[in-house]
Amino acid sequence: MTAQVDYLVVVFTATSGASGELLGSDEKELEQLVWQLVDVKNKKLGKVNELLIKPDLSDLTEEKEEEDGVEESIEEEDSSRADNVSTATSLETALNLFHLQLTNEVNSAGAGTSMCLCTDGPLHIRQVIHPEAASKNILVPDDFYSFFDLRKEFKKHFPTSDLKALNVHTMAESLTIPVDVPAMWDPSATLDPSAALPAEIAAQQVQIMGSIVLALLSEPFSHAFSTQERVSEKFETGTCSKMEKVCDNSVIRARGLPWQSSDQDIARFFRGLNIAKGGAALCLNAQGRRNGEALVRFVSEEHRDLALQRHKHHMGNRYIEVYKASGEDFLKIAGGTSNEVAMFLSREDQIIVRMRGLPFTATHEQVLTFFSPEEELKETCPVSGGKDGILFVRYPDGRPTGDAFVLFACEEHAQCALRKHKEILGRRYIELFKSTAAEVQQVLNRYSSAPLISVAPAPLVSMLPSVSLLPPPGSVRDCLRLRGLPYTASIEDILTFLGEFTHDIRPHGVHMVLNQQARPSGDCFIQLTSAERAIQASQRLHKHIMSSQRGANSRYVEVFPCSTEEMGLVLMGGSLSHTHTHAHIRSRSGTGLSPPPCKSRRLSPPSYSFGPVPPVMSAEAAAALYPPIGQMLLAPRHLPPGHAYYPASAQLFMNYAAYYPSPPGSPTTIGFFPSPASLSSPGGLMRMPGLTYNGNGVKELINAMQGYQYAPEDALMRAHGPMHAHDPTGTLLTQPKEWVCI
């Protein structure tokens, strides 16, 4: 609440595009600015002033460039109802002329000095003046940062009125004010909002608005204009707690932002609308980089609706898409719970710079020296608050991620710091980016929050008896894990590396581990004929050098013995940390079961635990329902009963990238040794349920089983009834004993 002002300035704007409720939604430039001064105390109206913005596109001579560019005409034009008509060649000139003429008129009236604008709805100020001025980097006079909405003031006395349905003519009709309507324009007719208003209508609208203001000031209303609407001059940064309630009707999602845009750029795009404190949150992708989207929280639903009208408006050369979003979406990006982050961001009016690619051993002193070197030839940009102005990003276990955020006191220091982009700290070059408070929260949430998968997924085959996915205590460790292979290494290189142990490899016992892009991950599993040979191979070959035929690089390779179950667990996408409380204790060096390698060291996943999940049905019930259940198990070795799923005490490393086994190989399949003429052991039976109905039958199955030893005539198709050769609803394959599916 503020005291009533001495003067009200009734203002009306018109663009070269849409009018009415769509005013300003098409980014058209301002063409007409009309106003009239109202003396609140004496209840008198001043003269109507009209300002036309007409860019001069002709070639200007040097003499014309020195002129003010403003022409005034005291004589009233035939098509205008204004008392004073002026012309300006640019928006900046027009706004300065408006302020100058208005100030002179108030001073000459002598009834006071305080004044405030009054408009028919918020569009003239919020959607026309401020957006165009922001896009052209024009300073807006202070007059346009506060105004009265005539519709809201009118509604205080007529509460049943609909704000969106109100206009000057309906308000004048309710107040029984006679309106002189031009013969060529019918206000009751349904006008096309996308069409521009006739030029002479603006002055007539201002005259009617002046009459409405006088009617509200007079008896019986005696209205007091005291509640002004304000336009935020500056975007305020701040923090947002995850416990805070955010209204769903106040958030939008902006898409298509330039990757280098900041929260200040977003605030400039929505200039004229009030964004909540800390309400601009830039979204990051899985690699921690900006993805061109942002969530913006406004102070009210009214401002959110006005923001939606800026759909496909331009930020530079790019158009920005604007959509509705929810409060939950905003809290996922901008919400935080860390007290350390809250303290770091509690210093307002600070510029945040993000450092990426720091050495893991970097300290506060090294960062301070990086920005303020002792050498006189280098620029100095002091960090605000010293060590307190540096925030290192860490994993939950305290390991550094290589990211940090640094505070600077002013824009000048921040720009000086950004010029050190890709300079060297230690042995690494450092990437520097201008950041935001919401980005700080988002990065910290990503690294230090709860796991992405909060509960264990359901078993793939829910009707099978419960089988432990953890290696049982008595597992036979007859496999090898090779870690740290050259990325160009082939199966031939691996067999050459194994040397004499190549003879002990089982058929199809070489499994390369591929990442999600089907490229080698540097890991490999070898199935040997006995645990003794696996131990001997690990002792002789551990940390020996492997060379690749397809590349000049060579690396030492770590060799560990492991079991078939452990191999299967790793190939599923994770591995044990061996902190579970089994009766047997294994050391990490003895198994090599560390997490599979991630491509980005900044996205190394945290470790976390799963609670026990009860089995769907007992083993006895499942065996009774499916008699040949023993033949359906994919592992050839018997697995003793264990936990239903991951036990609560076991920790499983889940990876952001998926890992898959390559098609299996062996010395016989790649030509090291001749393939055996026939199998010495009888085959087994494998069931493949869930096949598509539109498949090609046996042909697709043969392609899928390429690399395994089987006879094509052993592939049988069955339906729910009798066997049909061309019905791919289910399949039975005779399975050789040496098949190991993991």
Side-chain angles (χ1 to χ4, degrees), residues 302-534:
E302 177 189 3
H303 290 248
R304 192 281 309 265
D305 293 339
L306 294 178
L308 292 173
Q309 293 186 9
R310 301 193 187 183
H311 179 61
K312 291 196 174 181
H313 282 204
H314 288 77
M315 179 185 291
N317 295 326
R318 299 175 63 92
Y319 71 84
I320 308 302
E321 301 175 20
V322 182
Y323 304 99
K324 292 182 180 179
S326 65
E328 182 181 359
D329 295 335
F330 182 81
L331 288 177
K332 287 180 180 178
I333 301 299
T337 57
S338 172
N339 293 329
E340 182 183 8
V341 178
M343 291 295 295
F344 177 77
L345 298 176
S346 62
R347 306 176 183 87
E348 298 183 359
D349 299 328
Q350 301 286 320
I351 310 299
I352 306 174
V353 172
R354 180 181 180 182
M355 305 180 69
R356 193 166 62 195
L358 287 169
F360 292 146
T361 58
T363 62
H364 291 82
E365 290 77 10
Q366 290 177 320
V367 174
L368 293 174
T369 305
F370 177 79
F371 288 110
S372 300
E374 298 178 357
E375 303 173 9
E376 297 181 357
L377 297 179
K378 293 187 177 181
E379 290 183 297
T380 299
C381 34
V383 177
S384 177
K387 293 183 179 180
D388 295 335
I390 303 173
L391 177 65
F392 286 101
V393 183
R394 301 182 183 276
Y395 291 113
D397 57 3
R399 293 180 296 114
T401 64
D403 282 28
F405 294 93
V406 184
L407 293 178
F408 294 93
C410 60
E411 185 70 27
E412 180 181 357
H413 289 171
Q415 292 300 327
C416 174
L418 293 174
R419 285 195 289 269
K420 296 180 178 291
H421 181 61
K422 291 195 175 182
E423 288 192 8
I424 302 299
L425 192 157
R427 295 184 178 180
R428 300 183 61 88
Y429 72 84
I430 308 301
E431 297 177 287
L432 300 175
F433 307 94
K434 198 172 182 179
S435 187
T436 65
E439 185 175 353
V440 176
Q441 294 279 23
Q442 192 175 170
V443 172
L444 267 295
N445 291 343
R446 172 164 298 177
Y447 288 117
S448 60
S449 61
L452 297 177
I453 307 175
S454 56
V455 295
L460 297 178
V461 185
S462 59
M463 304 303 291
L464 289 176
S466 59
V467 177
S468 174
L469 294 183
L470 296 178
S475 298
V476 179
R477 307 174 65 76
D478 56 356
C479 298
L480 291 177
R481 179 178 183 181
L482 276 61
R483 188 171 65 188
L485 302 173
Y487 291 120
T488 58
S490 62
I491 294 183
E492 292 88 340
D493 298 325
I494 296 173
L495 296 178
T496 302
F497 174 78
L498 292 176
E500 62 177 284
F501 298 100
T502 305
H503 298 272
D504 301 301
I505 299 177
R506 291 186 180 185
H508 305 283
V510 181
H511 303 269
M512 298 282 289
V513 183
L514 308 179
N515 60 17
Q516 196 169 11
Q517 288 74 36
R519 297 177 180 177
S521 65
D523 276 28
C524 176
F525 285 94
I526 310 293
Q527 291 179 282
L528 300 182
T529 55
S530 65
E532 292 76 11
R533 296 295 289 172

Side-chain angles (χ1 to χ4, degrees), residues 499-642:
E500 62 177 284
F501 298 100
T502 305
H503 298 272
D504 301 301
I505 299 177
R506 291 186 180 185
H508 305 283
V510 181
H511 303 269
M512 298 282 289
V513 183
L514 308 179
N515 60 17
Q516 196 169 11
Q517 288 74 36
R519 297 177 180 177
S521 65
D523 276 28
C524 176
F525 285 94
I526 310 293
Q527 291 179 282
L528 300 182
T529 55
S530 65
E532 292 76 11
R533 296 295 289 172
I535 294 176
Q536 292 176 12
S538 64
Q539 292 175 348
R540 294 186 188 180
L541 301 177
H542 184 58
K543 291 192 176 182
H544 280 207
I545 300 297
M546 175 187 291
S547 300
S548 173
Q549 299 177 0
R550 293 181 292 178
N553 59 328
S554 59
R555 302 180 60 176
Y556 76 83
V557 177
E558 298 175 286
V559 182
F560 307 96
C562 65
S563 65
T564 304
E565 292 78 14
E566 291 171 334
M567 175 179 65
L569 183 60
V570 173
L571 292 179
M572 286 170 55
S575 62
L576 295 176
S577 65
H578 291 285
T579 57
H580 53 280
T581 56
H582 271 306
H584 66 296
I585 302 297
R586 302 191 183 105
S587 64
R588 188 179 298 273
S589 61
T591 63
L593 289 179
S594 61
C598 279
K599 288 296 181 185
S600 175
R601 62 182 175 86
R602 294 182 293 274
L603 291 178
S604 299
S607 60
Y608 49 91
S609 303
F610 290 121
V613 178
V616 178
M617 63 168 51
S618 63
E620 293 77 12
L625 185 60
Y626 294 94
I629 192 66
Q631 299 179 359
M632 293 172 57
L633 291 176
L634 300 182
R637 191 178 292 110
H638 172 69
L639 297 178

Side-chain angles (χ1 to χ4, degrees), residues 241-253:
S241 172
K242 283 188 177 293
M243 305 305 296
E244 185 176 345
K245 293 184 178 180
V246 178
C247 179
D248 289 339
N249 296 327
S250 63
V251 182
I252 62 95
R253 180 184 296 273

